[in-house]
Amino acid sequence: MGVFDVDLIMSWEPWEYEALRLGALYRKIDEYELMAKTAMANRYAQNAKRASERKIFNAKQARRNLELGINGSDKNVERMIDLNKKFKGFKPNFIPKGG
């Protein structure tokens, strides 16, 4: 948990202790997940004919998504945002054909 002061721990309410304990467990799960992803990236880099950093992790795309407020890297979401930017302020000049 990262806290070693017994007096501090004993001063917590039970719900505070439980929240910290669960947070520590979630942190451990995240560490294991990162280790698994690192192992997979290492395996890919060693076995790929033409491995590239961008194929493992595209930092440029992640930064752009962060700036645009996108969670994840869904291509359809990116296309939708690009189309919305292009069509912003567009008003069609629609004249129906008469019959």
Side-chain angles (χ1 to χ4, degrees):
M1 289 187 339
V3 179
F4 302 103
D5 185 6
V6 177
D7 293 331
L8 176 66
I9 294 172
M10 296 304 285
S11 70
W12 292 338
E13 296 290 324
W15 66 270
E16 290 174 313
Y17 175 78
E18 186 63 21
L20 190 72
R21 189 182 72 78
L22 284 175
L25 292 173
Y26 278 120
R27 183 183 325 131
K28 193 56 119 176
I29 290 169
D30 288 343
E31 289 173 4
Y32 286 138
E33 181 184 28
L34 180 61
M35 286 191 289
K37 288 180 179 180
T38 302
M40 293 301 293
N42 284 335
R43 182 182 181 282
Y44 163 76
Q46 289 181 0
N47 294 322
K49 288 185 179 181
R50 292 197 172 128
S52 72
E53 180 182 349
R54 185 179 53 81
K55 288 182 180 177
I56 295 172
F57 179 72
N58 191 343
K60 184 178 179 181
Q61 181 182 14
R63 287 185 190 102
R64 193 175 101 227
N65 288 349
L66 182 62
E67 290 170 3
L68 295 175
I70 300 173
N71 294 330
S73 62
D74 188 4
K75 295 283 185 193
N76 291 330
V77 172
E78 292 175 16
R79 290 179 62 208
M80 180 190 65
I81 289 171
D82 289 339
L83 287 172
N84 284 338
K85 284 181 183 177
K86 290 176 184 174
F87 287 113
K88 188 174 183 179
F90 174 74
K91 294 183 181 177
N93 187 7
F94 179 70
I95 302 172
K97 294 182 180 181

